[in-house]
Amino acid sequence: MVEISNNKKLLRIALRNCGLLNPEDIFEYIALGGYESLGKAITQMTQDQVIDEIKKSGLRGRGGGGFPTGLKWELTKKQKSQEKFIICNADEGDPGAFMDRSILEGDPHSVLEAMAIGGYAIGARKGLIYIRAEYPLAIARLSTALQQAGENGLLGENIFGTDFSFDIYLKYGAGAFVCGEETALINSCEGKRGEPNYKPPYPVEEGYWGYPTCVNNVETFANIAPIITKGAQWFASLGTEKCKGTKVFALVGKIKNVGVIEVPMGTTLREIIYDIGGGIPGGRKFKAVQTGGPSGGVIGEANLDTPMDYDSLISIGSMMGSGGMIIMDETDNMVKIAKFYLEFTMDESCGRCTPCRIGTKRLYEILNKITSRKGTMADLDALKQLAYMVKDGSLCGLGQTAPNPVISTMKYFWDEYLAFIKDVDHPRGEGRYTAKNKIGIRS
Amino acid sequence: MKINSLDKLKKIRNEYQKNVCLRVNSTDSENSDIRIEILIGMATCGISAGAKDTFNAFQEELAKQGVNDAKVVSVGCIGYCHSEPTVQVNIRGREPVLYGNVKKEEVQEIVQKHIKGGNPIEALTLAINFERA
């Protein structure tokens, strides 16, 4: 018998129907209370009341940034424009993350319903789901769901007999990680190269074809319907003071119970890894966990009691990200882990801005030199300096967060970097190295 | 059929209630003609672990053993990816039982011992209840 202890720590809101209903049958969703939130919102509430409810609930964007969803909706609504759009970001590209896929494959109607609610609130008549083409099953189930919702009049013209009309279209991503960034996503939707734009103007001002556009993540949408039905108060009672509700995480790597979990915000990493995840297999020791995929940082044993919420994670040099959690044990080498993530971001850099295009490549080259035992202390200094340069100088979130794995592994696992270096002259690390020639880097 | 008012939606909800009441509660489902529901996790993770074979095996086995008040339903991922394919058996009047690692070879035993015999197979179960956290 497989032990899954302490189920009490889990709480399902976004995943409420996953594994419970047949995702290809709209009537099962309706029988479990589906589309009632949409009905309530558009027949009994004004646009401002819907936005107010979401604002009061304290829901923040689940894609990683943590921007308050209600505020985003309000900003989009305030824009004066004849046309507005709402986009669902289902371009889940982090290595080791599959939360959105679970939701889309297990409960596609919850996302459609929430998009219609959002469309009503901001005044949009059209919605787009930007989904990566690598998720064929999710696409198939979404298409079925869209068709069924249309046939039953839950999407389309005059929904619930009101004058609100709303339609949703699918757009397929071609596999670029950077297209999860909202401006790049909008460019890709328009058929242009998937490259980010300068902000401002933000997409809420000028987005899809220049119209105000609201981009929300799959998991954010999955939380909307319960908030409308059960009320903002109920949602705000869950989680921590600044981060309400729950978060879905994908546990992968060196952990016994690999899978998708949903826990209230503020649950500590220790509870997630040991109580829910079942600990590390093979009796080995825990070493670190990478949160937020390639954009996050590693968290070591010392910070295991950090509560999982947006702000606490940023304060220890990582980030929530979309919720992928990769657990590493004592056999993993952290320098090689950092190199792996850099290889990924280097590959995925779109090349629009120089710090990211060239910086990630150089970071990778230095890491490669270090792991092949040819590195010197000067390389470590250069690595550190370059990491901060890329972080500060890049245009979008990809470049700004790409060096995080390097910075955090250097902070918590400095010894492992030193073990690769042949001329260790200052084991404590902070640079006493002086450049030996004119173009040398001074730290 | 267009659902053009909230009342109509509620009517449809009540009409289809009997199809899903076994999922949320084992007691108040007397008016349903389905006594047993077998939920099979058929998301990408389940299918890649062989859930389609398990699904087909259940349908064949139920027909072979003459169980006709059972329904096999394909559902999404329940989250226990470490033990895919997962199968949940809901029988009226009983706590649900969740099985992990149900390959098609295990199906016959589950149908025989649990669905017909009423005794869950301890060795394959994972912990779960109607709170389904």
Side-chain angles (χ1 to χ4, degrees):
Chain A
M1 182 164 172
V2 181
E3 289 287 330
I4 300 166
S5 59
N6 272 320
N7 277 347
K8 293 267 178 293
K9 291 203 167 102
L10 299 168
L11 177 70
R12 285 167 166 253
I13 297 175
L15 298 176
R16 62 193 179 281
N17 291 330
C18 291
L20 190 66
L21 55 71
N22 182 351
E24 292 174 6
D25 186 353
I26 191 171
F27 295 111
E28 293 203 352
Y29 182 68
I30 292 175
L32 287 166
Y35 287 104
E36 262 172 40
S37 303
L38 176 63
K40 184 180 168 190
I42 65 176
T43 58
Q44 294 163 11
M45 295 164 88
T46 63
Q47 288 170 286
D48 289 321
Q49 279 173 331
V50 175
I51 289 174
D52 215 44
E53 198 70 15
I54 302 297
K55 269 171 89 176
K56 271 194 274 176
S57 74
L59 176 66
R60 293 171 66 176
R62 295 289 192 256
F67 191 81
T69 308
L71 186 60
K72 204 181 223 178
W73 285 14
E74 189 179 29
L75 291 172
T76 322
K77 191 201 162 230
K78 276 185 183 158
Q79 299 294 320
K80 288 198 172 57
S81 169
Q82 53 186 16
E83 186 117 49
K84 288 176 191 173
F85 292 96
I86 188 156
I87 297 185
C88 173
N89 183 349
D91 188 62
E92 185 178 47
D94 294 17
F98 43 88
M99 301 79 54
D100 294 352
R101 194 189 68 198
S102 280
I103 294 172
L104 292 171
E105 287 177 357
D107 193 13
H109 284 287
S110 70
V111 177
L112 305 187
E113 179 181 6
M115 284 183 74
I117 295 173
Y120 170 73
I122 65 169
R125 284 173 53 94
K126 279 186 189 138
L128 295 161
I129 300 177
Y130 185 81
I131 183 166
R132 56 194 310 226
E134 289 93 332
Y135 284 175
L137 188 63
I139 292 173
R141 290 196 176 154
L142 268 175
S143 310
T144 313
L146 278 173
Q147 196 198 340
Q148 290 176 347
E151 280 167 6
N152 290 289
L154 294 164
L155 288 175
E157 298 291 315
N158 302 93
I159 303 171
F160 285 108
T162 63
D163 52 7
F164 173 64
S165 303
F166 190 74
D167 262 317
I168 298 176
Y169 305 90
L170 295 182
K171 288 268 181 188
Y172 308 131
F177 178 62
V178 74
C179 288
E181 201 277 342
E182 52 185 10
T183 54
L185 182 150
I186 289 169
N187 276 336
S188 177
C189 282
E190 291 173 0
K192 298 179 192 150
R193 274 180 74 118
E195 287 180 343
N197 283 349
Y198 293 98
K199 291 193 237 181
Y202 290 91
V204 294
E205 297 151 8
E206 275 178 45
Y208 189 56
W209 298 118
Y211 295 110
T213 305
C214 177
V215 184
N216 289 126
N217 179 264
V218 171
E219 195 190 327
T220 315
F221 280 125
N223 279 298
I224 300 286
I227 294 177
I228 300 290
T229 340
K230 297 190 187 176
Q233 290 249 305
W234 160 79
F235 194 80
S237 69
L238 306 164
T240 64
E241 196 186 327
K242 279 187 178 163
C243 302
K244 305 298 186 191
T246 57
K247 179 80 192 84
V248 183
F249 291 106
L251 296 182
V252 292
K254 308 279 176 64
I255 188 151
K256 275 186 193 150
N257 299 340
V258 171
V260 185
I261 60 160
E262 183 168 357
V263 290
M265 289 275 185
T267 308
T268 65
L269 270 171
R270 194 181 295 280
E271 286 172 313
I272 292 176
I273 293 169
Y274 289 98
D275 297 343
I276 300 166
I280 316 296
R284 288 190 293 271
K285 250 184 79 186
F286 168 84
K287 186 177 208 173
V289 52
Q290 170 94 13
T291 58
S295 313
V298 296
I299 298 170
E301 178 94 50
N303 286 321
L304 266 188
D305 290 309
T306 312
M308 293 297 285
D309 60 55
Y310 297 100
D311 312 301
S312 313
L313 281 175
I314 285 174
S315 72
I316 56 170
S318 183
M319 64 184 268
M320 178 84 87
S322 57
M325 217 181 252
I326 298 168
I327 290 114
M328 293 161 253
D329 70 9
E330 54 189 340
T331 58
D332 292 310
N333 184 297
M334 301 314 286
V335 185
K336 289 185 177 164
I337 296 280
K339 192 176 94 173
F340 165 78
Y341 283 115
L342 247 299
E343 189 179 0
F344 178 82
T345 38
M346 173 186 77
D347 247 19
E348 294 293 344
S349 172
C350 71
R352 166 122 195 218
C353 69
T354 318
C356 177
R357 178 181 69 236
I358 298 174
T360 51
K361 172 87 176 151
R362 291 288 171 266
L363 282 173
Y364 175 73
E365 282 170 4
I366 299 174
L367 281 168
N368 217 1
K369 189 175 168 194
I370 293 172
T371 51
S372 52
R373 299 186 187 276
K374 288 179 189 145
T376 61
M377 291 308 286
D379 290 318
L380 286 187
D381 287 341
L383 185 69
K384 198 169 204 172
Q385 194 179 25
L386 185 55
Y388 282 102
M389 270 185 201
V390 174
K391 193 176 168 69
D392 295 337
S394 294
L395 173 63
C396 80
L398 192 149
Q400 285 160 10
T401 56
N404 279 351
V406 178
I407 294 171
S408 62
T409 47
M410 281 184 115
K411 186 171 167 194
Y412 295 116
F413 299 95
W414 180 248
D415 293 345
E416 298 194 18
Y417 279 89
L418 283 187
F420 277 114
I421 302 297
K422 44 184 188 182
D423 67 336
V424 178
D425 58 356
H426 48 101
R428 292 205 175 272
E430 295 310 317
R432 267 177 290 155
Y433 168 80
T434 316
K436 292 190 175 76
N437 56 38
K438 275 187 206 160
I439 55 161
I441 297 165
R442 221 183 160 85
S443 57
Chain B
M1 179 184 47
K2 295 273 181 191
I3 299 170
N4 48 19
S5 71
L6 205 51
D7 291 331
K8 193 152 184 195
L9 182 79
K10 285 188 176 144
K11 218 179 107 197
I12 290 180
R13 180 183 176 172
N14 291 333
E15 198 178 313
Y16 284 88
Q17 196 80 51
K18 63 179 194 312
N19 291 5
V20 293
C21 49
L22 211 50
R23 317 269 171 91
V24 264
N25 196 329
S26 67
T27 48
D28 62 20
S29 49
E30 295 299 320
N31 50 3
S32 166
D33 45 348
I34 297 154
R35 195 176 61 88
I36 301 163
E37 260 184 340
I38 298 157
L39 311 179
I40 300 180
M42 298 263 273
T44 301
C45 45
I47 291 173
S48 60
K52 272 190 179 160
D53 289 339
T54 308
F55 187 90
N56 294 337
F58 262 109
Q59 287 192 318
E60 279 168 27
E61 201 59 40
L62 289 171
K64 211 195 283 174
Q65 304 211 20
V67 185
N68 35 24
D69 52 357
K71 190 169 122 190
V72 191
V73 188
S74 100
V75 297
C77 172
I78 200 170
Y80 297 147
C81 307
H82 50 86
S83 308
E84 295 285 357
T86 53
V87 171
Q88 186 180 336
V89 180
N90 293 352
I91 301 182
R92 191 187 297 160
R94 288 164 183 257
E95 281 287 297
V97 177
L98 181 74
Y99 291 113
N101 299 312
V102 184
K103 309 282 185 228
K104 61 180 179 206
E105 293 77 25
E106 269 85 36
V107 171
Q108 197 200 356
E109 199 184 351
I110 292 176
V111 174
Q112 195 134 42
K113 290 196 182 152
H114 185 181
I115 292 167
K116 290 186 86 177
N119 300 314
I121 302 158
E122 288 269 318
L124 285 172
T125 49
L126 308 169
I128 197 184
N129 56 24
F130 275 115
E131 301 294 310
R132 55 175 309 111

